[in-house]
C-alpha cells in the first residue's frame, strides 16, 4: 500500500514560480500596499529580503485607516564578509537614504538593512549594484552567504580561504535572471535552454543551506553548527587542503521533539582543487535526499542524521566519483574575536573593533557609523565583518596606521 | 380687484382686463403667475408682438448683463441675487458666467454688472482665466455701456480684490461709464454687497415697472444656511497620521440629521470656527483690556469682549488694513513708516508669520478702549473644507479631512484657527456650526462611464474620497485613477485601507503615490504624472476628466505645467498647442480644480 506523501507548501510554490519570478514584479509595482502576498513573501527571500511589520504600532493603525507598517529587511550577499571601502560607503549611504540608518552586521558576516519600504526596494538594490553588491540568495532555500574566518594574522592563508568562499558562492549561485529582471530592470530574454538552474532545478533546495570556511586555530565561524564546513589545513604558510564536516545546526523548534541541535560530523579531507566540487555535491545530495515534506525536518543535519555520517559520505562519494581522503589533524583554540591592533606576517595592520549587537549606527555618545564612514573614505585596504558581528579594518599600511604618523587618533581607536 | 398705479405702463383697458382675470386667482395662483412671468426672462415670448403700446421702456434699455467669475460659488450666488433684483425692478437680465463669456458679449447690453472674486496671489478664478486674459488684452469699444463692479476677496492677501480692480479699470479704459464705484468685499461680503447693489439700483432707476408682488417673498421656510449655520454633532474625530508622522491630519465626521442639508461630491462645507481660549487669553493680556467689558459690533451686536474675541472676531489675521487701523489708535511713528506705500515689501516681510497680537505687543497703545479694538477687527472668517464624503455612501453625514496647522515663528507657537479648533476643540459629541456650499466647478462627469484622473496630495485627497465613494455607490463602470502624495508612505497614506477596499471592489482602478521624504530626492505627484505620461495621454484621449485638489501655490501650478508637457510630448504638439488643448479641456469642464 502506497502512502501518500504531501509536499510542504513551499515546494509547489517554487515549481510554479517560473524560477523565482512569480508575481513579484507586479506586486512590487502596486502602490496601494506596502506588502506583498504570502506566496511572494516566500519567493522574495530567494532574492535576499524578508517582509516585516512594525509590531509596536500595529494597534493604532487600523483605526487610522492605515495598513500595518510594512517594510523589508535586506541581507547582502558578501562571501567571507570582505568589502572594499567603496562598498562600505555605498552601504553606509543606502542605510541612510533607504533604510533606518543602521548597518547591522550579521552572524553570516554581512550587512543587513532594516526598514526598507517596498517602494525603495528597487532603488536600494540598484544602489547596491552600483558598488558591485547584490542580495541574491541571501535568504531562501538556497546556499546562503558563504562565511569565512576573518583571521587577521596570516594574510596569504586568509586570501586563499576568502577566495574559496567566493568561488563556492559564485558556483552555487542560482542562475535564474529573476533578480535582475525584477530589481535591475533587465529585459526578460526568452530562453530555450532546458537547464535554467543546472544545480538547483525548479525546486531549489528543501531548506536553507549554510557553508563556512574556517582557518584554525580560529573557529569564529563555528563549524560545528553549519551544514557544510571546510577547515583549512595549513602547512608551511599554505593551505594544502580542507577537512570536510557536514550536518551541523543548533536550531530546534520548541515543543517539537523530532527537532534537535546537532554538531557536524567530520567526514574527510579534500585538496583545494576539489573543494568547490565537494561543496556542489554535498548540496546535490541534500537537494535529492533532503526532506521536502516537513520544513522542520528538511535541514541537512536531519538528512545526515537519517543517513548516518557514513551513509552520507558514501552517497557523496558516489556523486563525486572519487573518495575523500582521511581527515587531517587540526586544533581550534578560540572562537571569539580578538579586539585591537594586529600586525600580520606581511607587515600589514588590522584593527578589530567591537560592534555592540552588530549595529553600526550613530548615537549621541558614539557616532560609530559616521566614524567608520570617515575611515572608509581614506582607507586603502578592506573591511572584514566577523561571524561574531564585529568589524576588522584590514590591511592598513604602515603609513596609514594612525599612531605611526603623529596624527591624532581617529574616533574608532577608542574601541581598541 | 387689483388696483394698478397711475405710472403703470398699461392702458385703461389693459388695467381692467388684467384686474378682472388676476382677481379671480387665489393668492397662491397669483404668486405662481407673477413668479412665472418674472422668471421667464423674456417677456416678449409671453406678450404678443402686436401689443405695441405695452412697454414704455424699450426692450434694449431693459437689458442688463450680470457677469460673474466664481471659484467657490460666492460670486455666482451674488450674481443670481442681482438677477432676481433686476427682474423685480423690471429689467431683462442676462446671467453670464465668465467661463462661457466672450469679449463681444459685453457690448450686448447697455448695463453691465460684474461680480468677480480674486484667488491666491491676485489671480482670477480658475474658470474665468481665459475670459479675463481676453478682456485685458482685447479691444472692444464699450462707449454707451454703464457698469459697476463688485469685487470679492480676502484682506489677508496682499493683492486684495485684484481681479475686480483690474476689470473695473479695464472697462473704464474701453470706454464704459462707471455709474457706481467698485466695492471691494472681504470674506464677510453680505453687508458690503447689499450697500453696493442698493446704490446700483438707485443709479439705474427702475426698468419697466413690474414690481414683484410681495407674495413672492413670503412662504420662506426656515432653513439652515450660511446665515444660520447648523450645529452639527461630531460623530468621529480620528487622527489619520501615524504616531510617527510629522503631520497631523484628522478625519472628522459630522451628523447632518435635521439640517436639511444635501450635497454633491465636490461640494464644500463651511465651518464656523472659534478662537482657542489660550489665544484669546494671550490676546486680551496683550491688549491690557478686561474681557468682561461689554462691546458692540455692527454685525454681531452687544456682548462681553471676551466672547466677541472668541467666537466673532478675527484676532489673528494680520492684514495691512488692520495694521493701518491700529496705527491710528497707537500712533506709532515706526508703524506708520512700515505702512508707508514705499515700504510695502518691508511690511510684508515684517508681517510674515506674525499676527495681530504682535501689533499689540510691538506697538502698544497708550490708551485703548475695548470698543476701539473691536471696531478695527473683521468678522472671524468662515473656513471652507472640501467635503470628503459621498452623501449617498453616508446618508445624514458629512466628512472632512483636516490638517492641523501648527508652526513656530518668531519664537512663538502659532496655530491655524479653524484647523486646530477642529483638531483640539471639536471632540466626539461636541457640536460644530456648519453649512453646505455648492461648488459647481468641481463635479464628477455626468456619465458614470467617463474615466476620471484625480490628483490630490495631502488633504487634497478629500473630494476624491467623495468621488470614489459616490462612484462605488453607483457601481460606476468608468475607470478611475488616483494620484496621492504626502511625506512618508508608512505614516501619511491617508485612507489607505479604504483605497485598498475600493481597488478590490473596482470603484478605483489605479493608484499612484508620491511620498516626498522616503528617499533622498523629493518626489511629488507631478513626477508620478510625468512618469505615466503615456497612459495619462491615453486616458485623456479616451475622454477622461482631470481633477486637481490641494495646494495652489506650488502643487497645482506644477501639475498644470506637467499636464501641458505631457500633452505636448505625447500629442506631438508645440507648447502653445498643448496650452490650447488644456484651455479646451477647461472650457469643456474636463479639467477642474479645487485649489487653495
Amino acid at each position: 500500500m502506497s502512502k501518500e506523501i504531501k509536499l510542504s507548501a513551499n515546494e509547489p510554490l517554487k515549481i510554479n514560480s517560473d524560477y523565482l519570478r512569480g508575481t513579484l514584479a507586479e506586486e512590487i509595482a502596486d502602490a496601494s500596499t506596502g506588502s506583498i502576498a504570502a506566496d511572494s513573501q516566500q519567493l522574495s527571500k530567494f532574492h535576499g529580503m524578508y517582509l516585516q511589520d512594525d509590531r509596536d504600532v500595529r494597534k493604532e493603525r487600523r483605526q487610522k485607516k492605515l495598513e500595518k507598517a510594512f517594510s523589508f529587511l535586506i541581507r547582502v550577499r558578501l562571501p567571507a564578509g570582505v568589502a572594499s571601502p567603496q562598498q562600505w560607503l555605498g552601504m553606509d549611504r543606502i542605510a541612510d537614504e533607504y533604510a533606518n540608518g543602521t548597518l547591522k552586521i550579521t552572524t553570516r558576516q554581512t550587512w543587513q538593512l532594516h526598514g526598507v519600504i517596498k517602494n525603495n526596494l528597487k532603488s536600494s538594490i540598484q544602489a547596491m549594484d552600483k558598488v558591485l553588491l547584490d542580495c541574491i540568495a541571501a535568504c531562501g532555500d538556497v546556499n546562503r552567504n558563504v562565511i569565512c574566518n576573518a583571521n587577521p594574522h596570516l594574510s596569504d592563508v586568509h586570501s586563499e580561504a576568502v577566495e574559496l568562499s567566493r568561488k563556492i558562492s559564485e558556483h552555487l549561485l542560482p542562475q535564474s535572471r529573476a533578480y535582475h529582471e525584477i530589481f535591475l530592470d533587465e529585459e526578460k530574454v526568452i530562453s530555450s535552454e532546458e537547464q535554467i538552474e543546472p544545480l538547483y532545478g525548479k525546486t531549489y533546495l528543501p531548506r536553507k543551506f549554510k557553508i563556512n570556511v574556517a582557518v584554525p586555530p580560529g573557529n569564529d565561524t563555528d563549524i560545528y553548527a553549519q551544514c557544510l564546513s571546510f577547515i583549512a589545513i595549513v602547512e608551511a604558510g599554505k593551505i594544502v587542503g580542507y577537512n570536510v564536516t557536514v550536518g551541523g545546526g543548533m536550531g530546534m523548534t520548541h515543543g517539537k521533539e523530532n527537532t534537535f541541535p546537532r554538531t557536524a560530523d567530520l567526514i574527510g579531507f579534500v585538496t583545494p582543487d576539489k573543494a568547490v566540487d565537494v561543496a556542489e555535491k554535498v548540496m546535490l545530495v541534500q537537494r535529492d535526499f533532503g526532506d521536502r515534506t516537513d520544513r522542520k525536518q528538511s535541514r541537512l543535519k536531519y538528512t545526515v542524521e537519517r543517513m548516518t555520517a557514513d551513509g552520507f559520505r558514501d552517497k557523496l562519494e558516489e556523486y563525486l566519483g572519487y573518495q575523500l581522503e582521511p581527515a587531517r589533524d587540526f586544533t581550534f583554540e578560540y572562537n571569539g574575536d580578538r579586539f585591537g591592533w594586529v600586525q600580520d606576517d606581511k607587515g600589514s595592520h588590522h584593527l578589530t573593533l567591537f560592534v555592540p549587537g552588530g549595529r553600526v549606527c550613530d548615537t549621541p555618545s558614539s557616532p560609530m557609523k559616521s566614524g567608520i564612514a570617515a575611515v572608509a573614505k581614506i582607507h586603502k585596504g578592506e573591511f572584514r565583518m566577523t561571524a561574531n558581528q564585529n568589524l576588522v579594518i584590514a590591511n592598513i599600511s604602515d603609513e596609514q596606521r594612525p599612531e605611526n604618523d603623529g596624527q591624532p587618533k581617529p574616533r574608532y581607536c577608542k574601541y581598541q | 380687484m387689483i388696483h394698478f398705479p397711475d405710472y403703470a405702463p398699461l392702458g385703461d383697458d389693459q388695467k381692467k382686463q388684467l384686474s378682472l382675470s388676476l382677481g379671480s386667482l387665489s393668492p397662491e395662483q397669483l404668486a405662481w403667475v407673477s413668479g412665472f412671468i418674472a422668471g421667464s426672462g423674456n417677456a416678449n415670448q409671453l406678450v404678443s408682438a402686436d401689443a405695441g403700446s405695452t412697454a414704455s421702456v424699450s426692450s434694449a434699455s431693459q437689458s442688463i448683463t450680470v457677469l460673474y467669475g466664481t471659484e467657490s460659488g460666492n460670486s455666482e450666488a451674488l450674481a443670481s441675487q442681482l438677477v432676481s433684483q433686476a427682474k423685480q425692478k423690471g429689467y431683462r437680465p442676462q446671467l453670464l458666467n465668465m467661463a462661457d463669456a466672450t469679449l463681444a458679449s459685453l457690448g450686448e447690453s447697455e448695463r453691465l454688472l460684474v461680480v468677480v472674486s480674486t484667488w491666491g496671489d491676485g489671480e482670477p478664478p480658475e474658470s474665468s482665466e481665459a475670459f479675463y486674459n481676453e478682456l485685458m488684452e482685447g479691444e472692444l469699444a464699450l462707449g454707451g455701456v454703464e457698469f459697476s463692479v463688485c469685487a470679492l476677496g480676502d484682506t489677508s492677501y496682499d493683492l486684495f480684490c485684484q481681479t475686480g480692480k483690474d476689470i473695473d479699470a479695464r472697462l473704464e479704459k474701453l470706454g464704459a461709464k462707471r455709474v457706481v464705484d467698485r466695492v471691494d468685499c472681504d470674506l464677510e461680503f453680505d453687508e458690503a454687497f447689499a450697500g453696493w447693489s442698493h446704490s446700483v439700483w438707485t443709479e439705474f432707476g427702475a426698468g419697466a415697472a413690474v414690481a414683484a408682488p410681495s407674495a413672492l417673498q413670503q412662504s420662506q421656510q426656515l432653513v439652515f444656511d450660511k446665515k444660520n449655520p447648523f450645529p452639527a454633532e461630531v460623530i468621529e474625530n480620528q487622527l489619520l497620521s501615524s504616531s510617527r508622522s510629522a503631520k497631523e491630519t484628522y478625519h472628522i465626521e459630522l451628523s447632518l440629521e435635521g439640517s436639511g442639508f444635501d450635497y454633491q461630491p465636490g461640494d464644500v462645507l463651511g465651518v464656523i470656527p472659534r478662537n482657542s481660549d489660550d489665544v484669546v487669553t494671550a490676546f486680551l493680556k496683550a491688549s491690557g483690556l478686561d474681557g468682561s467689558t461689554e462691546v458692540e459690533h455692527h454685525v454681531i451686536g452687544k456682548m462681553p469682549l471676551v466672547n466677541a474675541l472668541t467666537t466673532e472676531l478675527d484676532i489673528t489675521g494680520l492684514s495691512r488694513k488692520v495694521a493701518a487701523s491700529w496705527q491710528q489708535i497707537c500712533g506709532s511713528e515706526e508703524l506708520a513708516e512700515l505702512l508707508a506705500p514705499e515700504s510695502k515689501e518691508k511690511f510684508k516681510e515684517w508681517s510674515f508669520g506674525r499676527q495681530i497680537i504682535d501689533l499689540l505687543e510691538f506697538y502698544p497703545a497708550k490708551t485703548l478702549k475695548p470698543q476701539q479694538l473691536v471696531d478695527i477687527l473683521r468678522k472671524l472668517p468662515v473656513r471652507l473644507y472640501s467635503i470628503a464624503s459621498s452623501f449617498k455612501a453616508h446618508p445624514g453625514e458629512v466628512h472632512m479631512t483636516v490638517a492641523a496647522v501648527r508652526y513656530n515663528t518668531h519664537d512663538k507657537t502659532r496655530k491655524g484657527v479653524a484647523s486646530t479648533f477642529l483638531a483640539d476643540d471639536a471632540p466626539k459629541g461636541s457640536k460644530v456650526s456648519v453649512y453646505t456650499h455648492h461648488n459647481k466647478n468641481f463635479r464628477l462627469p455626468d456619465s458614470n462611464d467617463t474615466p476620471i484622473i484625480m490628483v490630490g496630495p495631502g488633504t487634497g485627497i478629500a473630494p476624491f474620497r467623495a468621488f470614489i465613494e459616490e462612484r462605488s455607490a453607483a457601481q460606476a463602470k468608468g475607470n478611475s485613477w488616483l494620484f496621492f502624495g504626502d511625506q512618508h508612505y508608512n505614516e501619511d497614506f491617508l485612507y489607505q485601507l479604504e483605497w485598498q477596499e475600493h481597488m478590490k471592489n473596482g470603484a478605483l482602478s489605479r493608484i499612484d503615490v508620491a511620498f516626498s521624504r522616503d528617499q533622498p530626492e523629493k518626489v511629488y505627484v507631478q513626477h508620478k504624472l510625468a512618469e505615466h505620461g503615456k497612459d495619462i495621454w491615453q486616458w485623456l484621449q479616451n475622454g477622461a476628466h482631470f481633477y486637481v485638489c490641494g495646494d495652489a501655490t506650488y502643487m497645482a501650478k506644477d501639475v498644470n505645467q506637467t499636464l501641458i508637457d505631457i500633452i505636448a510630448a505625447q500629442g506631438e504638439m508645440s507648447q502653445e498647442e498643448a496650452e490650447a488643448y488644456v484651455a479646451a479641456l477647461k472650457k469643456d469642464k474636463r479639467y477642474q480644480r479645487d485649489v487653495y
Side-chain angles (χ1 to χ4, degrees), chain B residues 223-399:
Chain B
V223 287
F224 293 105
D225 57 11
K226 190 181 176 185
K227 285 229 148 51
N228 184 26
F230 175 72
E233 186 182 335
V234 178
I235 50 179
E236 184 65 86
N237 191 337
Q238 170 68 48
L239 179 64
L240 293 176
S241 318
S242 94
S243 52
R244 289 174 182 161
S245 173
K247 297 290 219 39
E248 195 188 326
T249 306
Y250 293 84
H251 173 71
I252 295 170
E253 301 183 355
L254 304 174
S255 168
L256 292 181
E257 295 289 350
S259 69
F261 287 152
D262 185 2
Y263 60 85
Q264 299 288 311
D267 280 346
V268 167
L269 192 71
V271 173
I272 320 299
R274 42 179 286 166
N275 291 304
S276 77
D277 292 343
D278 56 327
V279 170
V280 171
T281 304
F283 190 85
L284 265 175
K285 191 169 168 234
S287 72
L289 296 172
D290 177 0
S292 60
T293 320
E294 185 151 281
V295 291
E296 187 167 10
H297 183 271
H298 62 293
V299 180
I300 59 178
K302 279 186 189 173
M303 64 175 72
L305 176 62
V306 65
N307 293 17
L309 297 181
T310 304
T311 61
E312 308 295 336
L313 298 172
D314 181 358
I315 61 171
T316 52
L318 176 51
S319 62
R320 277 186 78 83
K321 194 179 168 194
V322 74
S325 309
W326 178 250
Q327 199 280 330
Q328 295 292 312
I329 294 172
C330 74
S332 159
E333 289 291 324
E334 201 184 320
L335 181 56
E337 268 170 43
L338 203 55
L339 285 162
E342 62 273 17
S343 46
K344 234 177 172 169
E345 277 307 307
K346 246 173 116 184
F347 176 78
K348 210 171 161 183
E349 216 174 276
W350 183 82
S351 61
F352 184 78
R354 288 205 159 90
Q355 300 186 336
I356 297 176
I357 187 171
D358 295 309
L359 271 185
L360 271 53
E361 287 175 355
F362 269 80
Y363 307 108
K366 284 185 194 73
T367 57
L368 177 67
K369 292 200 181 74
Q371 191 60 45
Q372 279 180 298
L373 185 60
V374 166
D375 287 345
I376 69 167
L377 298 174
R378 70 169 181 174
K379 184 114 177 53
L380 184 57
V382 162
R383 174 71 160 86
L384 299 177
Y385 287 96
S386 306
I387 290 174
S389 51
S390 151
F391 200 66
K392 281 204 186 83
H394 307 277
E397 295 178 10
V398 66
H399 304 175

Side-chain angles (χ1 to χ4, degrees), chain B residues 1-2 4 10-24:
Chain B
M1 203 64 176
I2 294 173
F4 292 97
L10 299 169
D12 285 345
D13 282 353
Q14 288 173 318
K15 283 182 186 169
K16 207 168 170 184
Q17 280 174 22
L18 273 173
S19 176
L20 271 173
S21 36
L22 293 177
S24 70

